[in-house]
Amino acid sequence: MPVSDPISDLVGLAAFIIIITGAAFLAGRYVAAVFGGNIHLPFLVRMENSLYRFLGTSPENEETWKGYARDMLLFNAIGFCVLFFILLAQGFLPANPQHFPGFSAVHALNIAISFVTNTNWQVYSGEAAASYLTQVAGLTVQNFLSAATGLCIAIALMRGLTRELTGTVGNFWVDMTRAILYILFPLAVIASVVLLSQGVIQNFDPSFTMAGYGGAAPQTIATGPVSSQEAIKLLGTNGGGFFNANSAHPFENPTPFSNIFEVFLILLIPAALPFTFGRMSGNMRQGWAIFAAMLILFVAAFGVLYAAELGGNPVLTSLDVPGISMEGKEVRFGLTGTVLFSTSTTAVACGAVNAMFDSFTPIGGLVPMFLILLGEVVYGGIGSGFATMIAFIVIAVFIAGLMIGRTPEYLSKKIGIFEMKMALIVILVPGILVLVFTGIALVTKGGTAGIFNPGPHGLSEIVYAFASMANNNGSAFAGLNAAATFYSLSGVIIMAIGRFIPAVAILALAGSVAEKKAVPSGQGTLPTATITFVLWLIAVILIIGALTFFPLFAMGPLAEQLALAGGF
Amino acid sequence: MARKRVTPVTAFDPALLRGAAIDAIKKLDLRRQIENPVMFSVEIGGILTTLSYLYGLFVYPGETALFTALVSAWLWLTVLFSNFAEALAEGRGKARAASLRRSRTAMTARKVNSAQFSAPFEEISSSDLKPGDLVLVRSGDLVPGDGDVIAGAALINEAAITGESAPVVRESGGDRSAVTGGTTVIANEIIIRITAEPGKTFLDSMILMIEGAKRRKTPNEQALELLLFALTGVFLLVVATIWPVSAYSSSVSGSGSPAGLPVLVALFVCLAPTTIAALLPAIGIAGMDRLFQRNIIAMSGRAIEAAGDVNVLLLDKTGTITLGNRQAAAFIPVDGVNEDELVKAAYIASFADDTPEGKSVVALASGQISPLPGIPEQAAFIPFSAQTRISGVDLNGASYRKGAYDAIVREVTSRGGFVPPDIDTKVTRIAQTGGTPLVVSRDWNVLGVVHLKDILKTGVRERFFDLRRMGIRTIMITGDNRLTAAAIAAEAGVDDFLAEAKPDDKLRLIRTYQEEGYMVAMTGDGTNDAPALAQADVAVAMNNGTQPAREAANIIDLDSDPTKLIEVVEIGKQILMTRGALTTFSIANDVAKYFAIIPAAFVAIYPQLAVLNVMALSSPETAILSAVIFNALIIPLLIPLALRGVQFRPMPAGRLFTYNLVIFGLGGIVAPFLGIKAIDLLLSAVTAL
């Protein structure tokens, strides 16, 4: 019977938080320096300059938010087309030792949108359907590009908030180049090497067959270029695994150390962005305040999930099988490794998993779902999480500003009706998608047919699936036939809307505040780097999240948990 | 000055309440209700549940549908309470507007061709007057329109506009030339040049503002409405999703039934931010009305909102910070002169001087010596003149003089008198502390100095201290020299001052601050203030000021009291604070309402959800009804707060935020738990009977 020692787990968590905070602080400063144009790594700088020449642009050539948004959409559209083509045609393309056929149009559409939007929702099993060319040149490339897109949007927003009286928010091509060359690429190389050292594989060999353990039947062992994809899968908060089992697979995540390291990679850049913002705004306290709000929510989520899983399943307990239920968890990670990974991957819109949420206790399953439904703001997806947090801050300062008798402002920028509109779009669009599609799924045959566990658990599965897609997380609850046409096609719509409408709204917000004049601050200004404001921000996030989804939680995980506890 | 005011009407006057109740019903008209989208959606909900009740009556005549009937009734009441709040806020303004309208009735005006009192006139209707027309107004006439006095001077009763019955003088030239249509000339006659189109006079715009007819939503109000609208939309969607969720769940669990229409509508109405949406229009109107009670007319809601944001106040020294005139504060004799001797001489020199300074010397002296020297009839008064800058009295062959230091010294030396050596240091010391030295001589010998001093208005120091805590910079504008200005600025506790200010300095100062992003408020009355008033974000013109000043301003103070600028700022902040507080309260309320309605709606499907019924409400029906009733009743309960405004406390923003957050945020979470429980107890007691 696996046991867990809460005290040592807590000490471990505290140590991990200190490490991630320190690393995020340093990384945040580095990111700010990169986008400020102050980092020129040898070799890469030559590549940077020739790229600018090729694109016919330069860092001085800044764009308005509309130009920035247009380029961002154009770039993603091209990426989508390329990936869509590779997926359809992989049967005729090289590096396909398993001779996998091309994907069906519906699945190719779903996968292409999924990877372009940084969702990485997977309707396929990597090792059983995707060629090495697809994995390396298609999916891994998009892992870089979609993460960099998110980063660019966040940086444009930071510029908007920290500039004044200007029409421009940066140059998308320059930001994209710098994000990849100086941030994602070097970090991914280092991370790949570390993962290799832990036993993550990297080869282009076809799958091979081995004799089964003991008397079992022979087993097919899939291999491939895993490590190169694994690093960016985590760093770029993508989450689409090489293997279907994702980070629960020993070739993706072999050791307890690789597990902690993977969590570290998931959190690193999203947690760094508040500090980047602090650096760019010249107001580090503001960065700390945002980081603190995220951290408090993170620790609380960890605590609830940990406690729920530590308690185990009440039904099993009543059958004299007490303790942690390990079904769906990997023994080599134990409870803490599982809970930390699960909290992080859903707090950050990563979506990599090292355990199956479907097997968690209902409350345990509620935590990842809740974190996603809050809008992925607890660090959040690379760039998008920070941007959504700013949208919540806009709402929070709006109400708070009124309470002190001032028309609202944030970091000396007045929040007007346009900013409110954009912030509301950013915050509400994913939630609206979840509500609308959950409703549709429950009243259509195509929707209910995919549910493997009818009842409250089935409802959780549906809500989780739509939440994961709308917020570009990509993790699955499992237990839902996601490959069915209904979910594949609705997923395309949800992922595309959930990503690009908020993204454009964020850029519009950035452009609008960039044009504004900074208002001098003083005693009468609402301080936004205080404990009160951090608590208020958390309350706004929780209340909007909880009020929107409370009925679904009640009918799903809560009803299920209470049923288990009450023996219904 | 004795002040007679129009009797203030309280918001809860029975006549007003009755009128508001009738208006509340009239506002149910969907075409009017749509102006408030949140309440519009509640009314639609009310219509739907009522129809479903009526449908039930006809289709299943045997069944009692009391629950649906009660939910419908309370939904209608929710809308009515909201309309009532708005109508009540408008009520006072409407009453005042009606009385103003009476003084606007068409009258005959004597149109003349030249500014001569003897010129022939033709009688035309005041509604035919055009700007530029000259009109003769005689004693006892109503002034037919807004204009400037171009000939003559008259005593005018402006009570119709200001509520102030003491008459004021209006004369041609200078800063007191503006007259307002609807006021009455009570003595003398004047010729005025009309400056406003009929129907666009000050009186007309005042009526429109007070009635709220011209009230456009301010940008902040629009942004808040957007938030409320978005929340309402999301909750509509939440409720819309509940139907399939409950239908699916009940089909799987095999018990219960999908949530019915009344339950869904009830949940929606409880979740939608009805409290703030119901009171939002009332908050704005009541804020304007509070200003109006203080005799301040805001020409737009935007101006008041801007007042809440003001962080620089430009204040004229005289009249705002100090009393209008300098006053004698001390007698300082030169070495070798008895103080009594100086006081007596100063008293005699000032006895016949009826300037405010002279009177203050007499007043101060009277308190210091007794008996006072008698002044015989034959004393010769030497009045102050701009050339000599000296005044005094010749009495029994002795000459008593007082005047500016250099003037007295020149006069005394020329007559061979004695100028003591220590007078220079004494005079300088007074000047350095911001005072004005007034040197006194008797028989051409200098006796000493009277220290004249600006007297601060009572309470200004404290006010400026409060303003600083609120993050507002105060800047004193004065024509005084730097030394004097600095001393008064220090005494009053203003943050900065502008000395030796010329009219265009104000404009320049405002622009400088605005370029740095500050919001600037100022008061003004003269024509040369007009450009600065037009530039300022919040510009308060004195009603006794000139027409250009009044036109450039966005707020008019009918009492012509410059200190009221500070009240305008406070009311501006109060309006925003009340909105913020009630929004927070409204949203925080939703937590308890969920705990009332969700278990009630779903317990038939999943009995285990009874655990969520943390308030232990007696039955699903009473639970839902209690939430709906609480949601409705909280509106009238908060009407007084909406009309009065959240109490304003001058404190730094951070502390104020924490304070209001605890009261309205935590209070907003706790209050409905208690309220809903109490209503439920009452309902279950009633049903038990």
Side-chain angles (χ1 to χ4, degrees):
Chain A
M1 184 53 48
V3 284
S4 209
D5 172 15
I7 302 295
S8 66
D9 286 352
L10 264 180
V11 172
L13 176 71
F16 179 75
I17 285 172
I18 291 169
I19 292 168
I20 193 74
T21 305
F25 183 80
L26 296 176
R29 293 168 63 113
Y30 176 73
V31 171
V34 167
F35 288 102
N38 302 322
I39 301 284
H40 306 284
L41 298 182
F43 309 116
L44 295 178
V45 71
R46 235 175 303 155
M47 204 188 290
E48 182 188 354
N49 289 329
S50 47
L51 261 174
Y52 295 159
R53 268 196 301 281
F54 173 72
L55 293 165
T57 189
S58 75
E60 289 71 42
N61 194 1
E62 294 217 340
E63 303 169 287
T64 61
W65 76 263
K66 282 182 183 147
Y68 202 97
R70 183 198 57 223
D71 291 352
M72 182 273 291
L73 291 174
L74 178 70
F75 182 75
N76 277 276
I78 296 170
F80 166 80
C81 292
V82 171
L83 181 56
F84 186 56
F85 170 76
I86 293 176
L87 292 167
L88 283 178
Q90 73 169 5
F92 307 103
L93 296 173
N96 185 3
Q98 303 291 119
H99 305 294
F100 292 128
F103 286 93
S104 72
V106 170
H107 281 184
L109 189 63
N110 185 289
I111 299 166
I113 282 289
S114 171
F115 276 75
V116 167
T117 56
N118 198 251
T119 312
N120 309 49
W121 174 264
Q122 293 169 293
V123 293
Y124 64 98
S125 291
E127 67 271 37
S131 75
Y132 294 158
L133 182 87
T134 300
Q135 296 270 27
V136 174
L139 305 180
T140 306
V141 167
Q142 266 311 320
N143 277 354
F144 277 98
L145 300 185
S146 65
T149 299
L151 196 49
C152 290
I153 291 167
I155 294 297
L157 175 60
M158 292 182 200
R159 289 202 188 104
L161 285 167
T162 53
R163 289 176 173 186
E164 63 173 323
L165 301 174
T166 170
T168 61
V169 293
N171 178 316
F172 175 75
W173 307 108
V174 171
D175 288 346
M176 172 57 70
T177 307
R178 287 179 175 163
I180 290 177
L181 282 186
Y182 294 133
I183 297 170
L184 297 176
F185 178 68
L187 283 175
V189 169
I190 299 167
S192 295
V193 173
V194 174
L195 289 170
L196 276 173
S197 78
Q198 292 300 303
V200 177
I201 60 170
Q202 179 78 11
N203 61 51
F204 282 89
D205 302 335
S207 307
F208 56 93
T209 309
M210 279 189 77
Y213 183 72
Q219 210 181 343
T220 305
I221 307 290
T223 68
V226 178
S227 177
S228 57
Q229 186 175 345
E230 190 69 15
I232 189 64
K233 166 189 116 179
L234 303 160
L235 260 180
T237 69
N238 291 287
F242 190 95
F243 301 105
N244 191 36
N246 213 306
S247 283
H249 195 292
F251 287 171
E252 285 202 21
N253 187 6
T255 65
F257 174 75
S258 73
N259 189 56
I260 290 291
F261 182 66
E262 292 198 353
V263 175
F264 175 82
L265 291 179
I266 291 173
L267 292 172
L268 181 62
I269 300 177
L273 290 180
F275 297 116
T276 305
F277 182 54
R279 188 83 176 160
M280 280 175 71
S281 62
N283 182 349
M284 216 54 199
R285 276 175 62 90
Q286 197 55 55
W288 277 109
I290 297 175
F291 183 84
M294 292 170 164
L295 183 65
I296 292 169
L297 286 168
F298 181 84
V299 172
F302 178 92
V304 174
L305 182 50
Y306 184 88
E309 293 305 307
L310 190 65
N313 186 329
V315 175
L316 288 178
T317 311
S318 69
L319 296 174
D320 214 17
V321 191
I324 307 154
S325 166
M326 286 304 284
E327 196 252 330
K329 299 187 184 69
E330 289 295 309
V331 177
R332 66 181 182 283
F333 307 140
L335 179 63
T336 321
T338 305
V339 170
L340 186 58
F341 199 107
S342 303
T343 311
S344 305
T345 195
T346 50
V348 170
C350 180
V353 287
N354 76 348
M356 296 303 126
F357 301 158
D358 204 32
S359 305
F360 283 4
T361 59
I363 295 295
L366 173 63
V367 171
M369 193 192 301
F370 192 64
L371 282 171
I372 295 174
L373 285 171
L374 289 184
E376 293 290 14
V377 288
V378 186
Y379 305 115
I382 187 162
S384 61
F386 174 82
T388 312
M389 191 55 136
I390 292 292
F392 270 113
I393 290 179
V394 166
I395 306 293
V397 295
F398 182 80
I399 302 175
L402 289 183
M403 273 198 281
I404 60 156
R406 282 273 283 248
T407 59
E409 62 198 56
Y410 178 59
L411 293 182
S412 302
K413 291 299 183 77
K414 281 282 172 205
I415 302 298
I417 192 157
F418 185 78
E419 289 74 31
M420 283 294 284
K421 258 185 209 156
M422 295 306 123
L424 286 168
I425 288 175
V426 173
I427 290 170
L428 297 180
V429 161
I432 289 172
L433 288 171
V434 175
L435 290 173
V436 168
F437 279 90
T438 303
I440 294 176
L442 289 175
V443 294
T444 52
K445 266 222 164 71
T448 45
I451 302 172
F452 295 156
N453 308 286
H457 197 78
L459 181 65
S460 301
E461 288 163 356
I462 291 181
V463 173
Y464 192 96
F466 290 126
S468 175
M469 291 190 281
N471 289 288
N472 304 123
N473 181 288
S475 64
F477 210 62
L480 185 74
N481 182 10
T485 310
F486 174 82
Y487 289 101
S488 295
L489 283 182
S490 59
V492 171
I493 300 167
I494 296 171
M495 289 187 284
I497 295 179
R499 172 73 164 185
F500 292 112
I501 291 196
V504 172
I506 288 163
L507 290 174
L509 178 65
S512 166
V513 287
E515 282 173 16
K516 296 198 174 195
K517 199 171 163 46
V519 179
S521 52
Q523 284 265 300
T525 314
L526 177 76
T528 49
T530 60
I531 295 168
T532 315
F533 186 78
V534 167
L535 293 178
W536 166 242
L537 178 61
I538 292 173
V540 169
I541 294 169
L542 286 179
I543 283 190
I544 290 185
L547 290 184
T548 314
F549 302 108
F550 188 73
L552 296 179
F553 296 152
M555 297 299 274
L558 285 179
E560 191 189 357
Q561 180 81 35
L562 292 167
L564 293 180
F568 281 94
Chain B
M1 207 183 333
R3 303 208 130 193
K4 267 191 214 153
R5 279 293 168 79
V6 190
T7 352
V9 191
T10 71
F12 302 101
D13 181 79
L16 280 182
L17 289 173
R18 212 174 310 123
I22 293 165
D23 270 358
I25 294 169
K26 284 189 192 153
K27 281 171 192 270
L28 283 179
D29 183 342
L30 284 174
R31 282 163 302 180
R32 290 178 71 185
Q33 199 72 54
I34 192 116
E35 280 171 33
N36 189 339
V38 179
M39 296 320 292
F40 177 79
S41 66
V42 176
E43 188 171 341
I44 296 289
I47 292 173
L48 286 178
T49 50
T50 309
L51 287 178
S52 116
Y53 170 69
L54 295 176
Y55 177 79
L57 273 190
F58 286 109
V59 180
Y60 316 103
E63 284 182 37
T64 55
L66 185 63
F67 173 68
T68 313
L70 285 175
V71 168
S72 317
W74 279 99
L75 293 186
W76 285 108
L77 280 175
T78 311
V79 184
L80 283 174
F81 287 150
S82 155
N83 292 349
F84 180 72
E86 188 176 345
L88 195 59
E90 289 167 346
R92 275 193 290 194
K94 280 202 171 138
R96 185 84 185 256
S99 79
L100 284 176
R101 204 171 254 130
R102 281 195 288 278
S103 36
R104 206 183 48 165
T105 45
M107 58 194 98
T108 49
R110 295 184 194 85
K111 191 177 165 205
V112 290
N113 294 322
S114 63
Q116 309 278 315
F117 288 101
S118 54
F121 58 81
E122 60 169 319
E123 295 205 335
I124 64 168
S125 165
S126 64
S127 56
D128 293 334
L129 285 174
K130 283 179 289 299
D133 284 353
L134 304 183
V135 178
L136 173 67
V137 190
R138 286 185 175 153
S139 172
D141 287 355
L142 282 175
V143 176
D146 293 359
D148 277 322
V149 180
I150 55 166
L155 211 50
I156 294 182
N157 184 336
E158 296 190 331
I161 306 279
T162 62
E164 167 65 62
S165 58
V168 292
V169 175
R170 290 285 180 264
E171 57 193 353
S172 62
D175 284 350
R176 299 283 176 270
S177 63
V179 287
T180 310
T183 55
T184 317
V185 174
I186 51 177
N188 298 350
E189 54 182 13
I190 46 174
I191 291 177
I192 61 170
R193 186 191 290 116
I194 296 294
T195 52
E197 300 268 356
K200 288 184 182 161
T201 62
F202 180 63
L203 194 59
D204 290 309
S205 48
M206 194 165 147
I207 291 171
L208 283 179
M209 283 314 301
I210 298 167
E211 273 190 327
K214 216 183 108 198
R215 214 177 74 85
R216 256 174 293 143
K217 284 170 186 164
T218 62
N220 177 265
E221 218 172 349
Q222 286 172 357
L224 180 55
E225 270 196 351
L226 178 78
L227 175 68
L228 301 181
F229 188 67
L231 286 177
T232 308
V234 167
F235 288 131
L236 199 58
L237 216 53
V238 169
V239 171
T241 322
I242 286 181
W243 188 82
V245 168
S246 61
Y248 168 79
S249 304
S250 70
S251 78
V252 174
S253 76
S255 65
S257 55
L261 181 75
V263 175
L264 292 179
V265 172
L267 180 59
F268 165 69
V269 170
C270 287
L271 293 181
T274 48
T275 313
I276 173 67
L279 297 173
L280 187 57
I283 294 170
I285 300 169
M288 296 276 253
D289 197 54
R290 277 203 302 284
L291 278 177
F292 192 68
Q293 299 292 314
R294 289 170 172 76
N295 255 358
I296 301 167
I297 303 287
M299 303 314 280
S300 73
R302 231 190 167 106
I304 308 177
E305 203 160 89
D309 276 349
V310 158
N311 33 27
V312 173
L313 285 186
L314 299 191
L315 301 166
D316 282 324
K317 185 200 80 177
T318 308
T320 311
I321 297 170
T322 61
L323 295 170
N325 303 294
R326 286 151 192 240
Q327 298 195 345
F331 296 101
I332 300 151
V334 292
D335 289 344
V337 176
N338 187 328
E339 188 175 347
D340 272 6
E341 221 176 319
L342 170 64
V343 175
K344 214 175 282 174
Y347 174 81
I348 296 168
S350 309
F351 183 76
D353 178 3
D354 55 2
T355 64
E357 287 87 358
K359 282 182 180 163
S360 77
V361 172
V362 171
L364 185 69
S366 313
Q368 290 202 4
I369 46 167
S370 67
L372 287 165
I375 312 284
E377 294 278 326
Q378 66 272 29
F381 175 50
I382 319 287
F384 177 84
S385 84
Q387 281 82 37
T388 60
R389 291 188 292 142
I390 288 175
S391 68
V393 166
D394 283 335
L395 180 69
N396 302 335
S399 63
Y400 298 86
R401 294 289 184 276
K402 67 177 197 307
Y405 174 49
D406 52 339
I408 293 278
V409 167
R410 196 175 341 101
E411 193 71 17
V412 166
T413 355
S414 73
R415 292 182 191 255
F418 173 63
V419 179
D422 61 324
I423 186 76
D424 192 59
T425 52
K426 293 201 157 81
V427 164
T428 314
R429 198 172 306 136
I430 290 171
Q432 273 168 352
T433 56
T436 305
L438 203 58
V439 179
V440 178
S441 71
R442 187 186 60 206
D443 293 335
W444 318 116
N445 286 318
V446 173
L447 298 181
V449 199
V450 181
H451 184 167
L452 288 183
K453 188 170 175 182
D454 270 312
I455 303 295
L456 292 185
K457 285 194 161 181
T458 44
V460 287
R461 250 195 102 78
E462 293 71 23
R463 255 197 153 154
F464 293 148
F465 180 73
D466 286 348
L467 286 171
R468 189 165 317 111
R469 275 159 54 94
M470 284 152 55
I472 297 173
R473 282 173 71 79
T474 44
I475 295 163
M476 183 182 86
I477 313 280
T478 172
D480 293 345
N481 64 48
R482 279 196 59 83
L483 218 56
T484 314
I488 296 164
E491 195 182 344
V494 293
D495 294 301
D496 203 352
F497 64 90
L498 181 68
E500 289 158 15
K502 287 175 288 297
D504 55 334
D505 286 344
K506 261 193 199 175
L507 183 61
R508 207 170 309 127
L509 191 66
I510 292 175
R511 288 213 174 117
T512 315
Y513 272 111
Q514 283 177 336
E515 269 157 31
E516 286 168 36
Y518 286 96
M519 297 276 282
V520 185
M522 70 167 283
T523 56
D525 51 4
T527 301
N528 52 27
D529 281 335
L533 283 169
Q535 181 73 31
D537 299 288
V538 175
V540 183
M542 303 296 106
N543 189 48
N544 61 17
T546 59
Q547 202 61 32
R550 296 203 319 188
E551 271 165 22
N554 48 20
I555 291 175
I556 312 272
D557 177 19
L558 299 176
D559 289 344
S560 305
D561 171 6
T563 44
K564 282 220 251 162
L565 182 55
I566 297 166
E567 281 174 47
V568 174
V569 170
E570 286 183 359
I571 290 178
K573 282 192 179 294
Q574 235 188 351
I575 293 175
L576 294 176
M577 277 167 57
T578 312
R579 279 186 203 145
L582 290 180
T583 304
T584 309
F585 185 83
S586 193
I587 296 173
N589 271 344
D590 280 5
V591 177
K593 291 176 195 163
Y594 257 135
F595 279 101
I597 295 186
I598 291 290
F602 295 146
V603 76
I605 302 173
Y606 295 127
Q608 65 267 29
L609 287 178
V611 177
L612 292 179
N613 182 7
V614 290
M615 286 174 272
L617 304 177
S618 51
S619 76
E621 285 78 19
T622 57
I624 292 170
L625 259 180
S626 307
V628 172
I629 293 174
F630 176 84
N631 193 53
L633 286 183
I634 196 74
I635 297 171
L637 286 177
L638 288 175
I639 286 178
L641 181 70
L643 296 190
R644 204 182 56 231
V646 170
Q647 203 194 337
F648 181 78
R649 287 177 184 77
M651 52 170 91
R655 276 182 52 206
L656 188 61
F657 174 51
T658 313
Y659 186 89
N660 281 337
L661 195 56
V662 169
I663 292 186
F664 295 100
L666 284 186
I669 290 177
V670 176
F673 276 103
L674 303 176
I676 291 174
K677 179 68 188 169
I679 296 170
D680 181 75
L681 286 176
L682 214 68
L683 282 179
S684 53
V686 170
T687 39
L689 289 176

